[in-house]
Amino acid sequence: MTTTLTSEDLYQRVKHVVPAVEWATMAADAAAILRLKHERNAVILAHNYMTPEIFHAVADITGDSLALAREATDVDAEVIVLAGVHFMAETAKLLNPSKTVLIPDLRSGCSLAESITAADVRALRAAHPGVPVVTYVNTSAAVKAESDICCTSGNAVAVIESLGVPKVIMIPDQYLAANIARQTGVEVITHPGACEVHERFTPSDIADIRDGYPGVTVVAHPECPPAVVDASDFAGSTAQMVDFVAAKHPKQVALITECSMSDNVAQQFPGTDFVRPCNLCPHMKRNTLGSIRHALETMTNEVTVPDDVADRARAAVTRMLEVKVAR
Ligand code: 13P
Ligand code: SF4
């Protein structure tokens, strides 16, 4: 992306979802971000839950947690701005440690990451000696450092199957663990963590959507409770949701996940009507054009990982990336 793009060029990318009157309040920040990316030799990696003006107008690379981890490894630019949440920025730093990694708002946490500490993982290991620890990337680097391997929702089945064991400790998302246990047949010991966005969906929400939109295809994120996944037609990571819509071309689809997801992908599928039941992630929503601009202008909100944790955490993430999956 170059600085020669005009505000009108940028608006063309978002006009399907951002009204002109709103864009008028965003254009100056978007233009400043393009200029600053050039001056700082920076790229913006943005999660699929970013608002459309971030996702479409200023991001260089977008995707699910797995894609962002993979892409972070290959960044040549000096600065990575991780438009997402703190654990994603830590993962980028682990995988490309010579880069300066900034996060637009240091308070962008995650209810899953906050649910578990390194001491909790050590206690689980002590209670279940010899059982491998598979840790969702939605955790701190300190928790990853206590783990054998990481996973995302996009590769959890492949990661578990790669271990070839009958039992794993899979933390900290109790619902992802339960959903993956059913898919793999592997016994899973878990932890009572949950995503505050996806745990709020219920089977009766799905029944209401089906009543309101007869024939609708329902696609859920596997951080949803198993009863919600059971009531849906497919479950997968945010990238797998997109792949599913691309492959099946449903007439009407409901993505049971964070609110920005449908806004970001709807334009890609003009033949599909997106019903938009959703829950907002307050942590993801701390990312704004203003906070991205501020981080780049001041070069503040740098994310680092202490040396004593980094090598062990990196090993668990790298092992995950070595497990081959299509996406
Ligand atoms: P994925 O994009 O990897 O599916 O993750 C969803 C999520 O909740 C990230 O915080
Ligand atoms: Fe964490 Fe859920 Fe928000 Fe993702 S959507 S950052 S899992 S709280």
Side-chain angles (χ1 to χ4, degrees):
M1 193 181 288
T2 71
T3 52
T4 54
L5 287 170
T6 64
S7 174
E8 183 51 32
D9 294 332
L10 291 183
Y11 186 56
Q12 289 305 312
R13 298 178 177 183
V14 294
K15 67 174 190 192
H16 60 288
V17 63
V18 178
V21 59
E22 266 183 52
W23 179 249
T25 68
M26 299 171 174
D29 284 335
I33 289 168
L34 292 203
R35 175 179 51 78
L36 286 160
K37 282 202 294 183
H38 186 66
E39 287 171 13
R40 306 288 196 209
N41 188 14
V43 292
I44 298 178
L45 271 57
H47 187 262
N48 289 330
Y49 294 160
M50 291 301 98
T51 45
E53 66 278 8
I54 297 175
F55 187 90
H56 288 295
V58 300
D60 298 289
I61 295 165
T62 57
D64 67 354
S65 311
L66 182 57
L68 296 183
R70 283 194 187 126
E71 295 285 350
T73 313
D74 294 333
V75 167
D76 281 331
E78 280 313 303
V79 178
I80 297 172
V81 179
L82 201 306
V85 290
H86 195 268
F87 74 80
M88 295 177 177
E90 277 192 333
T91 303
K93 182 68 183 176
L94 289 173
L95 291 170
N96 208 337
S98 68
K99 307 302 177 188
T100 300
V101 177
L102 306 180
I103 188 161
D105 190 320
L106 278 168
R107 297 168 299 173
S108 311
C110 168
S111 64
L112 282 165
E114 276 135 39
S115 75
I116 189 160
T117 65
D120 294 329
V121 188
R122 289 193 291 270
L124 274 165
R125 266 198 199 283
H128 305 280
V131 180
V133 176
V134 180
T135 294
Y136 198 28
V137 287
N138 298 38
T139 46
S140 67
V143 165
K144 291 182 174 79
E146 299 294 335
S147 311
D148 295 296
I149 189 166
C150 288
C151 73
T152 73
S153 53
N155 64 12
V157 169
V159 165
I160 299 282
E161 288 177 346
S162 77
L163 298 175
V165 294
K167 194 198 282 192
V168 298
I169 298 168
M170 187 175 181
I171 50 175
D173 187 335
Q174 59 185 302
Y175 298 128
L176 180 70
N179 287 320
I180 300 300
R182 297 186 318 166
Q183 263 180 282
T184 57
V186 170
E187 185 187 341
V188 166
I189 297 151
T190 189
H191 176 84
C195 162
E196 69 189 81
V197 174
H198 293 97
E199 73 172 340
R200 301 210 314 267
F201 291 109
T202 64
S204 77
D205 292 336
I206 309 299
D208 288 348
I209 293 164
R210 290 197 190 280
D211 282 352
Y213 303 91
V216 68
T217 299
V218 179
V219 177
H221 196 280
E223 290 170 5
C224 293
V228 171
V229 169
D230 284 344
S232 304
D233 299 299
F234 174 76
S237 76
T238 55
Q240 290 168 339
M241 290 180 168
V242 177
D243 291 347
F244 179 88
V245 176
K248 303 285 181 192
H249 303 293
K251 264 203 169 63
Q252 196 169 44
V253 72
L255 303 183
I256 306 303
T257 189
E258 211 274 342
C259 299
S260 291
M261 185 69 202
S262 296
D263 293 343
N264 290 336
V265 301
Q267 193 195 20
Q268 224 179 301
F269 303 105
T272 298
D273 174 34
F274 285 73
V275 178
R276 301 185 191 200
C278 66
N279 291 325
L280 273 176
C281 174
H283 312 291
M284 291 283 183
K285 266 39 207 183
R286 288 190 186 276
N287 293 269
T288 61
L289 290 179
S291 63
I292 294 171
R293 176 182 181 170
H294 182 260
L296 275 169
E297 234 156 30
T298 58
M299 292 297 285
T300 48
N301 298 352
E302 183 172 357
V303 173
T304 56
V305 181
D307 287 345
D308 59 327
V309 161
D311 286 347
R312 289 178 299 130
R314 184 179 304 112
V317 177
T318 304
R319 258 178 239 129
M320 167 186 89
L321 293 180
E322 285 162 1
V323 175
K324 296 284 168 250
V325 279
R327 190 52 142 134

